[in-house]
Amino acid sequence: MNEEADETKETPLSRDIIFQILSNQRRRYALHYLRRREEAAEIGELATQIAAWENDVIVDEVTSQQRKRVYNTLQQAHLPKLNETGFINYDPAHGDITLTERAELLNTYLEIVPDNDLPWSEYYFVLGCISLALLTGAQLGAGPLGLVPVLWWALGLAVLVTISGGVHMYYHRNHRLGHREVPREN
């Protein structure tokens, strides 16, 4: 690898470049596949898996024409682009591909948010409003809220926020492209 390529991989990327990289489904599929692997992938197996996803078949049913079409575009366009931006290390001579640490920058952009899902920011806002109302009511001794000491209300709400944060972390880590068997696209 030459110095110019090394400098490119160290240069911060703009959102425009990141969106351009992620705008292509085959590149997203490649990133998804590589995120699931511990070791280097070979371009042939990557092409076969992407062809299977694109044609909605199992890997064993991918035809040589389907595989070749994906293989050629990966080799000529997509893998060099991902390599150039530093998201993967691609060795064209051997066909080996590995995900780099820089690919972690894509996590924010690869999060999958289902259509009917409540955004976490809204959930925490509502939780905060309810907490303030409960603590204020307990402090003022309003109805049954005054029967429980404010400290117990605060402790209970702190536990609720902690559990919510744990669920949020689990959900966030397991609902990104690359953490499921088949990418949820198209």
Side-chain angles (χ1 to χ4, degrees):
M1 188 179 308
N2 62 29
E3 280 184 41
E4 188 177 311
D6 284 339
E7 287 177 22
T8 301
K9 290 183 179 183
E10 297 301 319
T11 306
L13 297 175
S14 70
R15 282 188 176 182
D16 289 339
I17 292 172
I18 291 172
F19 288 143
Q20 179 190 16
I21 292 295
L22 296 176
S23 69
N24 183 276
Q25 186 176 43
R26 283 192 181 157
R27 286 195 287 261
R28 291 191 307 271
Y29 279 165
L31 291 166
H32 171 80
Y33 183 79
L34 294 169
R35 288 177 65 123
R36 295 179 18 221
R37 298 182 57 90
E38 296 292 323
E39 69 279 352
E42 192 271 322
I43 188 171
E45 64 190 38
L46 175 61
T48 303
Q49 180 60 71
I50 291 174
W53 285 330
E54 287 181 352
N55 294 286
D56 200 23
V57 297
I58 61 172
V59 171
D60 294 338
E61 294 175 357
V62 172
T63 67
S64 61
Q65 184 179 10
Q66 291 168 332
R67 181 184 178 278
K68 184 177 181 180
R69 188 171 45 245
V70 173
Y71 185 100
N72 287 339
T73 61
L74 285 174
Q75 185 181 45
Q76 295 170 6
H78 303 307
L79 296 178
K81 186 71 170 175
L82 288 168
N83 187 60
E84 176 186 311
T85 53
F87 295 126
I88 65 167
N89 286 322
Y90 171 52
D91 179 7
H94 296 99
D96 294 333
I97 311 148
T98 54
L99 203 59
T100 65
E101 287 184 22
R102 189 173 201 180
E104 291 295 316
L105 295 172
L106 301 174
N107 284 348
T108 302
Y109 303 98
L110 293 173
E111 185 174 353
I112 299 169
V113 180
D115 291 337
N116 297 326
D117 200 17
L118 175 69
W120 284 102
S121 58
E122 290 179 24
Y123 170 80
Y124 286 115
F125 177 74
V126 169
L127 183 60
C129 290
I130 291 170
S131 298
L132 284 172
L134 288 173
L135 287 173
T136 302
Q139 182 66 36
L140 296 175
L145 296 177
L147 299 176
V148 177
V150 175
L151 180 61
W152 287 105
W153 278 111
L155 181 62
L157 293 170
V159 168
L160 181 61
V161 169
T162 303
I163 291 170
S164 296
V167 169
H168 184 178
M169 285 175 46
Y170 172 80
Y171 183 83
H172 186 68
R173 289 184 182 158
N174 290 300
H175 288 83
R176 283 196 171 134
L177 191 61
H179 291 282
R180 303 185 62 78
E181 188 61 29
V182 179
R184 284 195 221 164
E185 296 192 51
N186 298 27

